[in-house]
Amino acid sequence: MSSASTQFISASEGIAVTDRSQAMHRDIDRIIISQKQLQDRVTALAKEIASDYARSEEGLTLVTVLSGSVIFLADLIRQLPMKMRIDLVTVSSYEGKSTQSVEPKLHSDQPLMVRGRDVLIVDDILDTGKTLRLVRAWVKREKPKSVRTVVLLRKPAKAPSEVVVDYIGFDIEDLFVVGYGLDYNSLYRNLPYVAVLKPELYED
Ligand code: 5GP
Ligand code: MG
C-alpha cells in the first residue's frame, strides 16, 4: 500500500511558467507538479498496483470517474501488464465556473459488471471525499470480490480520514488545481502539468 511514500507538494515550491508563448500557459500562476514528477509517480503507482494484483487470475476491473481521470487512467493502464476491463462513470460535483463542491450525483450508461471481480476505483482527486464515498458504495452493492481506490491527488486538509484510499499519487494543499485531466470551466485539461490559475481567473 502506498500512503507511506506519498509525497506532499507545497504550493510555495511551485515552478514559474517560463513558456508563455501559448495562450493556455499564460493563464497559469504556477506549476505545482511538473510533467516529469507526474510521469515518475504514475510509473511508481503502476508498479505497486501490478505487484499487488500479480496473482489475480481474472485481472482488474477499473471503475473510472469521468472526466478528470482520463489522462491519469490512460497513463496508468499502459503501465499495467494485466488483463483489465474499464467501466466509466460520471459524477457531477463541480458545475461550470464553480470551485465549490456540491452534493455529487452518479450517472452510468450501463450497469456495472463488477460482481465477483477485483475492482480498482480510479479518480483524479480526493477533496471532500463525497465522490469516492458515493462510487464506492455503488460498487459495493454489486458484490465485487474486492474494492480498492487509487487517486492521483489528495487534499489531506479536507479529505475525511474515514474515506479509504489505497494508492495516492501526491498530497497537495487545499487549492483548486487544473491540468493533467483536471478542468476549470471545461478548460485546461490538456495541460501536461498540474497547476494553479491566476487568481483573477477564478470567479468565486
Ligand atoms: P470530492 O467529492 O472529493 O469533494 O471531489 C472530488 C471531485 O471534485 C474530483 O473528482 C474532481 O472532479 C473535483 N475536484 C476537487 N478538487 C478539485 C480541484 O482542485 N480542481 C479540479 N479541477 N477539480 C477538483
Ligand atoms: Mg472527478
Side-chain angles (χ1 to χ4, degrees):
M1 241 28 49
S2 69
S3 310
S5 56
T6 304
Q7 211 181 328
F8 186 83
I9 303 280
S10 148
S12 55
E13 293 163 17
I15 309 158
V17 181
T18 46
D19 173 16
R20 295 194 181 273
S21 57
Q22 292 130 319
M24 181 177 73
H25 297 293
R26 258 175 252 147
D27 292 349
I28 302 306
D29 189 38
R30 60 202 183 283
I31 298 171
I32 306 287
I33 310 173
S34 71
Q35 196 167 357
K36 172 79 169 67
Q37 285 174 303
L38 287 163
Q39 267 170 11
D40 290 350
R41 188 66 189 130
V42 173
T43 299
L45 284 174
K47 278 204 182 110
E48 206 179 328
I49 294 167
S51 140
D52 287 353
Y53 290 95
R55 289 189 201 172
S56 170
E57 282 297 315
E58 266 273 319
L60 269 177
T61 299
L62 271 71
V63 174
T64 304
V65 186
L66 292 174
S67 304
S69 311
V70 289
I71 304 211
F72 177 40
L73 175 81
D75 283 351
L76 184 72
I77 59 176
R78 283 177 294 170
Q79 299 188 64
L80 289 177
M82 56 185 51
K83 284 189 184 174
M84 67 173 65
R85 298 177 176 83
I86 300 169
D87 275 323
L88 303 173
V89 300
T90 305
V91 176
S92 45
S93 49
Y94 285 74
E95 276 148 26
K97 293 185 177 174
S98 172
T99 58
Q100 304 301 314
S101 171
V102 295
E103 210 46 55
K105 292 191 191 80
L106 197 142
H107 320 265
S108 170
D109 289 345
Q110 54 202 46
L112 286 185
M113 306 285 284
V114 301
R115 188 169 295 262
R117 296 198 174 141
D118 287 317
V119 174
L120 182 64
I121 300 171
V122 182
D123 202 3
D124 48 8
I125 182 162
L126 172 62
D127 184 11
T128 66
K130 287 180 195 163
T131 305
L132 277 184
R133 211 183 278 130
L134 182 77
V135 177
R136 209 182 152 81
W138 209 55
V139 166
K140 283 219 150 183
R141 271 204 299 273
E142 302 300 317
K143 308 235 178 319
K145 185 168 151 208
S146 70
V147 188
R148 283 185 186 167
T149 307
V150 56
V151 295
L152 178 71
L153 306 173
R154 176 177 66 173
K155 296 179 187 170
K158 271 198 149 154
S161 53
E162 88 278 2
V163 178
V164 188
V165 190
D166 302 281
Y167 309 95
I168 301 162
F170 301 89
D171 278 328
I172 60 165
E173 281 177 54
D174 185 14
L175 294 166
F176 194 85
V177 294
V178 297
Y180 199 70
L182 291 154
D183 76 310
Y184 176 62
N185 197 24
S186 302
L187 293 172
Y188 310 108
R189 290 196 198 276
N190 57 322
L191 285 170
Y193 45 74
V194 173
V196 281
L197 293 174
K198 290 183 176 160
E200 61 270 25
L201 292 167
Y202 295 115
E203 290 190 7
D204 60 0

